[in-house]
Amino acid sequence: MASNAPKFPAHPYYPEKVEILGYLGNEWNTLELLSMFSGGCAVIFAVTYILVKRVRPNISTADLSTVLWFVLCGFIHLFFEGYYSYNFRRMGGMQDLFGQLWKEYSLSDSRYQTQNAFVLCMETITAVCWGPLSFIVASMIATDHPFRHPLQAVVSLGQLYGDVLYYATSMFDHYILNLSYSRPEAFYFWGYFVFMNSFWIIIPLKLLYDSIVKSGRAFAALDKMERALKANGNAKKAL
């Protein structure tokens, strides 16, 4: 008797029996995809550099680097991760550039091809919240806005929290449920899953630390000034 169960096409993802609806193999190879992604990042950096230098010619190297970081985050969060959130039901068959990039990355985490609830919610929050806010933080740094550090801390903490949960849920499934979403080749686990995501651990940690320290110094200076003004006022009253 013929089975009425839907048949899923063969795919390269792990676990090997995971079902991916409408899967189509990528038309571009790994080198081509990574080259196009790197080229896009280079264009974003170049345009941002030129614009920031026009707005604030004397910007420090540290601030310029931070602007470049947040602008890149804005594009990745809003457009690339937003693309996933919008197309999550049909990722297996997507053949445009972003679709093929996601299928390439998914070799290290097949949850992106299986409509996984956690990655969908995490990527949606990232796209909707941290994407636009990253652009706002970048503009605040470029214009030396006084609210730069509070918002920088909020966005950095959000990025850090999301990435920690991303790693934690994957590790839980791996060690507790014996489910591995990455192919066995070291390139996919260490290159994609660990290395590429580690940027959103290391850099937000540093930026969060910087914002906390500078905010603390600002409050300390304000308190010192208020005490000095109060003491000066009391001295005038005594006269």
Side-chain angles (χ1 to χ4, degrees):
M1 178 179 291
S3 173
N4 292 325
K7 294 183 178 180
F8 296 90
H11 59 74
Y13 302 104
Y14 273 59
E16 293 178 319
K17 294 183 179 180
V18 68
E19 298 176 345
I20 298 177
L21 184 64
Y23 172 74
L24 294 174
N26 278 348
E27 296 173 351
W28 290 312
N29 61 40
T30 299
L31 181 59
E32 290 171 330
L33 288 169
L34 293 181
S35 297
M36 285 185 277
F37 179 79
S38 299
C41 293
V43 171
I44 291 171
F45 283 150
V47 173
T48 302
Y49 178 89
I50 293 171
L51 292 176
V52 172
K53 279 294 188 177
R54 288 183 178 179
V55 172
R56 189 179 164 195
N58 297 323
I59 188 172
S60 67
T61 301
D63 278 356
L64 178 58
S65 299
T66 307
V67 170
L68 294 174
W69 162 253
F70 276 113
V71 169
L72 180 63
C73 286
F75 276 102
I76 291 177
H77 294 336
L78 185 58
F79 298 107
F80 187 57
E81 292 172 277
Y83 171 97
Y84 169 78
S85 298
Y86 183 77
N87 295 291
F88 78 99
R89 292 184 183 275
R90 51 183 184 272
M91 289 302 300
M94 302 301 288
Q95 290 294 76
D96 53 29
L97 176 59
F98 280 4
Q100 292 192 51
L101 281 170
W102 273 116
K103 284 190 285 184
E104 176 68 21
Y105 175 78
S106 297
L107 293 170
S108 72
D109 190 348
S110 64
R111 292 180 294 177
Y112 284 93
Q113 299 296 321
T114 59
Q115 303 177 27
N116 179 270
F118 169 74
V119 295
L120 173 62
C121 294
M122 183 266 294
E123 296 293 359
T124 302
I125 292 171
T126 300
V128 172
C129 296
W130 312 137
L133 286 176
S134 291
F135 287 120
I136 294 173
V137 174
S139 67
M140 286 183 170
I141 299 171
T143 57
D144 201 20
H145 196 283
F147 286 138
R148 168 259 180 101
H149 280 291
L151 192 57
Q152 176 176 295
V154 169
V155 176
S156 296
L157 182 59
Q159 291 173 326
L160 178 63
Y161 182 68
D163 212 19
V164 168
L165 282 180
Y166 175 69
Y167 277 133
T169 53
S170 182
M171 294 299 100
F172 177 89
D173 288 347
H174 179 75
Y175 290 109
I176 305 300
L177 303 181
N178 199 30
L179 284 174
S180 180
Y181 302 112
S182 178
R183 287 189 58 83
E185 294 88 349
F187 171 76
Y188 296 115
F189 179 77
W190 293 105
Y192 288 175
F193 183 77
V194 175
F195 177 71
M196 293 183 70
N197 287 289
S198 66
F199 289 106
W200 280 272
I201 295 286
I202 298 170
I203 298 177
L205 267 176
K206 181 185 183 305
L207 295 177
L208 180 60
Y209 173 80
D210 289 345
S211 291
I212 290 173
V213 169
K214 290 182 179 180
S215 296
R217 289 175 180 171
F219 278 110
L222 179 62
D223 288 342
K224 183 178 180 180
M225 183 177 67
E226 288 179 344
R227 286 196 298 269
L229 290 173
K230 185 177 181 180
N232 187 44
N234 291 336
K236 288 182 178 180
K237 288 180 181 179
L239 294 174

